[in-house]
Amino acid sequence: MTVTLPEVVPTSPRSRLDVRVTGGIVRGVDAEGILAWRGIPYAAPPVGDLRFRAPQPVVPWEGVREPPGSAGWPRSPTKASSRVPGRACRPVRTA
């Protein structure tokens, strides 16, 4: 994967988080001063004829690809939300 910084001088906090990669532009996140870019595809999805074959180049996209967890991305369940209501968790005794 090749990452190149935008050629324009950032004018807003949002533009400094937009970075051009091989397939298009991805948006990063600024979490308490830590910059991160997540969900960047490095190859075409291995489905259909591509299954069990060498990775193929990423399929380019239009516009800005939003990071996971923002609108349009499914969120992973948390431990608290994956519990069954009304059932207490008990420690397992060993030995």
Side-chain angles (χ1 to χ4, degrees):
M1 169 178 31
T2 304
V3 177
T4 55
L5 296 176
E7 296 177 14
V8 296
V9 176
T11 57
S12 70
R14 189 168 208 105
S15 66
R16 76 183 179 100
L17 296 173
D18 293 350
V19 177
R20 181 174 302 281
V21 295
T22 307
I25 299 173
V26 292
R27 178 158 294 146
V29 294
D30 184 349
E32 299 178 17
I34 298 172
L35 304 179
W37 287 264
R38 300 181 184 120
I40 302 173
Y42 60 90
V47 295
D49 292 341
L50 300 178
R51 185 94 169 142
F52 303 115
R53 303 219 185 265
Q56 298 299 304
V58 67
V59 177
W61 59 89
E62 294 290 323
V64 178
R65 189 176 181 103
E66 295 290 331
S70 59
W73 280 81
R75 295 189 71 88
S76 299
T78 61
K79 284 189 173 194
S81 65
S82 61
R83 287 192 208 156
V84 177
R87 298 193 80 186
C89 296
R90 295 186 198 159
V92 177
R93 294 187 95 166
T94 57

